[in-house]
Amino acid sequence: MSANRPIVAVYPGSFDPVTLGHEDVVRRTLRFCDRLIVGVAENATQAKGQLFEVGERLELMAEVFGAQERVECVSFSGLLVDFAREAGARFIIRGLRAVSDFDYEFQMAQMNRELWRDVETIFLTPEVGYSFLSSSLVREVASLGGDVSAAVSPPVLERLRRRLPGLG
Ligand code: PNS
């Protein structure tokens, strides 16, 4: 391994929408990565009740991460390992919030290694206050009119309010 070679990682997900938990994982990754490519999957394995189109998710991410020079947000389709390889990234970042995440994450990490021997999945735990947070909960609570202002950044909240007028 060359000491001068930049460390590039991909952080894949559905990000529907991006939450403060995701932002926390990005912040932590930038402590040891030179460049992070956040990949919005067009075909997530567990696609559940989508709220925002991929293009809208990317717009929100541009607002949230726009000031971070080392972060790039793009969408991808097909296999994650192919996306990572083409992006020149050997590391996959995933957030691990609780034991309940483990089975699914372990399976994905092993399958991705099966598909590409050289890839490494790195799990990061978010700030404990975000350990209960998920995009699907944000979608559900917001669609029922609940307050999600502690879960997402202001641009995301604004977009949720426009999409779900009952949110107030
Ligand atoms: O935020 P999510 O929905 O938990 O992210 C899941 C994601 C996007 C990482 C996963 O569905 C994925 O990698 N999809 C791309 C297709 C793929 O490579 N599937 C095989 C994974 S082992």
Side-chain angles (χ1 to χ4, degrees):
M1 183 169 7
S2 155
N4 295 325
R5 201 164 76 184
I7 297 174
V8 183
V10 294
Y11 178 27
S14 305
F15 303 107
D16 183 26
V18 61
T19 68
L20 294 180
H22 296 129
E23 292 183 43
D24 185 59
V25 168
V26 166
R27 222 174 359 254
R28 288 170 196 284
T29 305
L30 291 176
R31 292 179 177 163
F32 59 89
C33 270
D34 298 301
R35 199 158 72 83
L36 179 62
I37 301 160
V38 184
V40 181
E42 289 176 15
N43 51 345
T45 308
Q46 298 187 323
K48 321 137 241 186
Q50 149 178 331
L51 179 63
F52 293 112
E53 296 296 330
V54 170
E56 291 178 287
R57 296 181 215 171
L58 281 171
E59 279 171 24
L60 284 175
M61 290 162 92
E63 292 189 57
V64 169
F65 299 121
Q68 305 264 20
E69 279 180 13
R70 292 186 288 136
V71 178
E72 187 187 342
C73 301
V74 294
S75 62
F76 73 97
S77 55
L79 284 175
L80 170 60
V81 287
D82 292 338
F83 167 64
R85 208 184 336 234
E86 279 156 28
R90 218 164 45 79
F91 302 102
I92 294 172
I93 306 293
R94 290 288 288 171
L96 204 55
R97 294 163 299 188
V99 178
S100 49
D101 282 341
F102 184 77
D103 276 353
Y104 172 56
E105 295 298 334
F106 183 76
Q107 278 181 8
M108 278 210 302
Q110 297 293 25
M111 178 55 88
N112 283 328
R113 180 180 285 160
E114 197 65 27
L115 293 167
W116 183 21
R117 296 308 297 172
D118 289 340
V119 79
E120 292 296 346
T121 302
I122 299 174
F123 296 108
L124 297 181
T125 54
E127 189 68 42
V128 69
Y130 300 138
S131 56
F132 65 95
L133 248 189
S134 68
S135 296
S136 54
L137 261 189
V138 167
R139 290 198 302 274
E140 182 174 333
V141 171
S143 66
L144 296 171
D147 180 9
V148 291
S149 56
V152 295
S153 276
V156 182
L157 189 62
E158 178 53 38
R159 186 76 67 115
L160 282 167
R161 284 193 173 124
R162 270 192 272 145
R163 176 58 50 88
L164 307 164
L167 195 52

